[in-house]
Amino acid sequence: MSDLSGLYQELILDHSRRRLGDGELAEPHATHHELNPTCGDEITMGIRLDASGTVLDEIGWTGDGCSISMASASALTELAAGAELERVRELIDGFRTMMRSQGAGEADEELLGDAIAFHGVSKYVMRVKCAMLAWVALEACVAAASADDSRS
Amino acid sequence: MTLDRTTTIDGLLPTDLRRDFPYLDQELNGHPLAYLDSGATAQRPIAVLDAERAYLEHANAAVHRGASTLVGTSTTAFEEARETVARFVGAGSREIVWASNATDAINMVALGMADASAGIGGPETEIFRLGAGDEIVVTEAEHHADLIPWQRLAAKTGATLRFIPVNDHGTWSIDDAASVIGPRTRLVAFGHVSNVTGFLAPAAEVVELAHRHDALVMLDACQSVPHRPVDFAELGVDFAAFSAHKMLGPTGIGVLYGREHLLDALPPARTGGSTITTVTMESASFLPAPQRFEAGTQPVSQAIALAEAVRYLDGLGMQRVHAHEEALAGLLVDETSRVAGVRLVGPPPGSPRAALVSVDVPGVHAHDVGQFLDSQGIAVRVGHHCAQPLHRRLGLRATTRASAYVYTTADEVRRFAAALAEVRGFFGVGA
Ligand SMILES: Cc1ncc(COP(=O)(O)O)c(C=O)c1O
């Protein structure tokens, strides 16, 4: 089973149980529903920005899926809640780059912190989509919230 | 390969059979591979691989096009393959149409009926014409391949799609069918064996009931034809579909069975070369079945290979294949139902079922279950197995399925159950 520990690192199993950010957000500025049609995993992500519209104030999501997809949503919440939108975009790009690496190279620990635990998932081609689910949803939320200047 | 791994459960099938399947002799993540995903796709014996290659090396030419000696050879081989497959399922060779897979075969019927309903074809298509007030009946347990084409047909024609309800095990009875099938029913479509629960449908009874109401019957035989003796004429179904790749054959080819007079009347959904008698600038008339459906160049080497797969299965004897799988089904149920904290979907222990089980491990997603098994060298299917409505009905999103075939051993089944017993501990769920 030692080969599995690269995939299911303690931090990932931990996040899959803690589920930071789990819960529907009241009055979100943007929401997005993302589905992985092959397994039925899904997530609905909601975000709120601060008054200036430049900081991601709050994240709330509801979802159902495998430990990788739920842990990833939890890790995302830990990293992105309270961050500047600019930084959130960097995080999304950085996470995606890591997930496309197929396990090669070093993950960007300075940017992603503990979330580099997901680097091991990138070797499992059939699981990359699980890890990306929440991030794709967040990306859509950020794009929608940035485009929407009617926000008060 | 050690003797232990090649020992079959019951002595019914030859113990050296696994040597015919090079694929099985490999490691997965450092363990001997236990391939328990034949319900999704089966592995092919050397004889099947060789037959396809031999055809391509020595006999390949355009089938049914031209008049050369070479075309004669390839056409003969192609049509002999059809006869072999026909005999295998109790059909005449004019009743066997090549499709690209079972999904395609089911679509051929649904699309042909839509064409008939749109007024294409003469009075002979009357039996296929649907409109408002007509009903198409399927079960809640269907594979998407036997559901979505009928949804489409209903949407195109104004007919209503109705569902034979399943119980909490995901199974249904002839009484459930009788509660839905009635005078408005024009077509009943159902899976002979469920790819999720392993449930065997009361096919002959449904045929009787449907025919009493002059309704057509389409059988999705994907999970039955590879695993047990099936005779379509004896069952009395009007149409049936199955795929070669689930019965030791190649991908790229499937079979539509239809009773001769029905196939001769069903409008061909795809038209073009090789299907016609006379073509003018304005119109075309079509050959009788099966040629009327086989538009364009066909999967010829695949047909040759499928016929070889049929010969291989015939060589084992479908009665023996079935007995082997019944024994494995019993073992699968015994072993998995003994694993604490695991829910087995499908017929309760003691009821007949095919040699496949789908399980839910509460608190652990099927993807994670499958990944754990994968790390132990055990290949299974995870997800909704193309049956979302059934999973929803069972209150599940995804399950983990182990499915057996001729080469599956008792040892592999035991490894599956033993690994399953470790899943909750690994993910820290439950006691
Ligand atoms: C019951 C059933 N019906 C239909 C299909 C579709 O077969 P294919 O994908 O070969 O067309 C399958 C297999 O996936 C099946 O198990």
Side-chain angles (χ1 to χ4, degrees):
Chain A
M1 240 160 309
S2 52
D3 31 358
L4 256 199
S5 57
L7 177 63
Y8 296 112
Q9 297 199 17
E10 214 34 64
L11 183 117
I12 293 182
L13 290 178
D14 235 43
H15 264 301
S16 78
R17 287 186 283 261
R18 279 163 70 206
R19 296 172 70 108
L20 296 175
D22 185 3
E24 197 178 323
L25 197 63
E27 295 178 51
H29 290 135
T31 63
H32 184 81
H33 175 251
E34 193 67 28
L35 173 77
N36 180 350
T38 60
C39 57
D41 284 3
E42 59 186 315
I43 195 160
T44 302
M45 174 88 50
I47 63 169
R48 286 187 60 80
L49 307 189
D50 76 343
S52 74
T54 59
V55 174
L56 206 181
D57 218 15
E58 264 189 283
I59 296 176
W61 54 269
T62 55
D64 190 2
C66 65
S67 60
I68 303 289
S69 64
M70 296 297 101
S72 183
S74 176
L76 167 153
T77 305
E78 187 165 50
L79 276 173
E84 301 260 345
L85 279 190
E86 249 338 283
R87 180 166 172 78
V88 172
R89 291 194 189 93
E90 276 172 37
L91 287 167
I92 294 169
D93 288 346
F95 195 85
R96 177 175 281 129
T97 302
M98 176 172 75
M99 294 319 298
R100 285 181 177 164
S101 71
Q102 302 190 1
E106 295 264 319
D108 187 346
E109 184 164 9
E110 208 176 313
L111 178 68
L112 297 171
D114 285 352
I116 60 164
F118 287 88
H119 191 212
V121 179
S122 70
K123 269 186 285 194
Y124 295 79
V125 282
M126 301 306 288
R127 304 304 296 275
V128 169
K129 272 199 170 158
C130 309
M132 284 305 301
L133 189 74
W135 296 82
V136 170
L138 178 64
E139 188 173 41
C141 284
V142 170
S146 318
D148 173 16
D149 40 27
S150 66
R151 193 175 0 86
S152 54
Chain B
M1 200 178 299
T2 65
L3 227 170
D4 189 37
R5 284 189 64 218
T6 64
T7 309
T8 53
I9 179 168
D10 42 40
L12 282 165
L13 290 178
T15 53
D16 57 359
L17 167 153
R18 286 176 68 96
R19 282 191 216 134
D20 297 341
F21 296 85
Y23 185 95
L24 301 176
D25 189 19
Q26 61 174 310
E27 292 201 335
L28 176 61
N29 294 318
H31 300 268
L33 168 65
Y35 185 76
L36 294 175
D37 200 16
S38 295
T41 201
Q43 299 306 333
R44 300 173 214 177
I46 293 168
V48 168
L49 302 170
D50 283 353
E52 184 161 5
R53 186 179 180 100
Y55 168 82
L56 293 170
E57 282 183 346
H58 307 295
N60 182 42
V63 159
H64 285 304
R65 289 184 182 178
S68 69
T69 309
L70 298 181
V71 165
T73 307
S74 66
T75 303
T76 303
F78 183 64
E79 290 305 328
E80 278 174 2
R82 195 192 306 273
E83 279 165 33
T84 303
V85 171
R87 267 196 305 276
F88 187 66
V89 290
S93 54
R94 288 199 50 224
E95 298 179 315
I96 297 296
V97 176
W98 303 126
S100 54
N101 47 43
T103 304
D104 183 45
I106 297 169
N107 272 287
M108 278 190 196
V109 177
L111 292 169
M113 289 181 73
D115 275 358
S117 307
I120 287 170
E124 77 283 1
T125 67
E126 182 55 38
I127 189 167
F128 300 121
R129 288 189 196 146
L130 302 186
D134 290 332
E135 293 177 355
I136 303 166
V137 172
V138 300
T139 81
E140 285 180 338
E142 292 318 299
H143 188 284
H144 297 163
D146 197 35
L147 172 61
I148 304 170
W150 307 121
Q151 292 176 344
R152 220 13 119 72
L153 179 60
K156 283 176 182 168
T157 60
T160 305
L161 188 59
R162 297 194 60 197
F163 304 95
I164 296 170
V166 302
N167 57 32
D168 292 344
H169 297 294
T171 68
W172 51 279
S173 69
I174 187 66
D175 293 337
D176 297 319
S179 71
V180 179
I181 296 169
R184 290 168 177 272
T185 309
R186 299 290 310 281
L187 175 102
V188 182
F190 62 98
H192 198 185
V193 168
S194 162
N195 65 314
V196 177
T197 64
F199 168 70
L200 174 70
E205 285 103 312
V206 175
V207 169
E208 215 239 87
L209 176 64
H211 284 175
R212 231 187 294 142
H213 293 289
D214 294 323
L216 295 165
V217 175
M218 166 117 222
L219 189 72
D220 174 355
C222 278
Q223 299 291 345
S224 59
V225 162
H227 302 284
R228 58 177 68 229
V230 174
D231 185 315
F232 291 140
E234 195 179 297
L235 284 174
V237 294
D238 298 299
F239 295 104
F242 56 97
S243 268
H245 69 94
K246 294 182 196 285
M247 53 189 291
L248 313 179
T251 51
I253 189 166
V255 172
L256 169 64
Y257 161 84
R259 291 163 70 200
E260 201 171 309
H261 71 282
L262 292 172
L263 284 183
D264 281 342
L266 183 71
R270 273 182 295 279
T271 56
S274 306
T275 64
I276 43 78
T277 50
T278 311
V279 179
T280 66
M281 289 308 285
E282 289 76 30
S283 70
S285 23
F286 295 95
L287 284 162
Q291 270 73 34
R292 65 200 267 109
F293 296 104
E294 296 176 358
T297 301
Q298 293 295 296
V300 182
S301 66
Q302 290 92 327
I304 307 296
L306 169 57
E308 191 61 32
V310 162
R311 274 190 290 276
Y312 186 93
L313 288 168
D314 267 338
L316 297 175
M318 287 309 289
Q319 287 293 356
R320 287 203 304 171
V321 168
H322 180 47
H324 167 81
E325 295 197 24
E326 270 199 314
L328 282 174
L331 189 68
L332 266 168
V333 171
D334 276 2
E335 292 275 327
T336 44
S337 56
R338 223 181 290 147
V339 178
V342 163
R343 171 181 170 200
L344 191 63
V345 306
S351 328
R353 68 149 77 214
L356 65 86
V357 295
S358 296
V359 298
D360 174 44
V361 182
V364 186
H365 192 279
H367 262 188
D368 296 319
V369 176
Q371 195 82 56
F372 182 79
L373 297 174
D374 192 88
S375 76
Q376 314 252 314
I378 301 162
V380 295
R381 170 81 190 265
V382 296
H384 50 58
H385 323 308
C386 299
Q388 278 184 19
L390 176 61
H391 276 80
R392 208 169 290 123
R393 168 65 184 80
L394 297 174
L396 299 168
R397 189 174 290 266
T399 52
T400 303
R401 180 185 74 187
S403 54
Y405 206 7
V406 292
Y407 37 67
T408 305
T409 66
D411 182 48
E412 290 175 316
V413 170
R414 293 199 182 95
R415 277 177 59 198
F416 166 70
L420 205 54
E422 291 177 42
V423 165
R424 280 158 51 97
F426 179 83
F427 289 98
V429 173

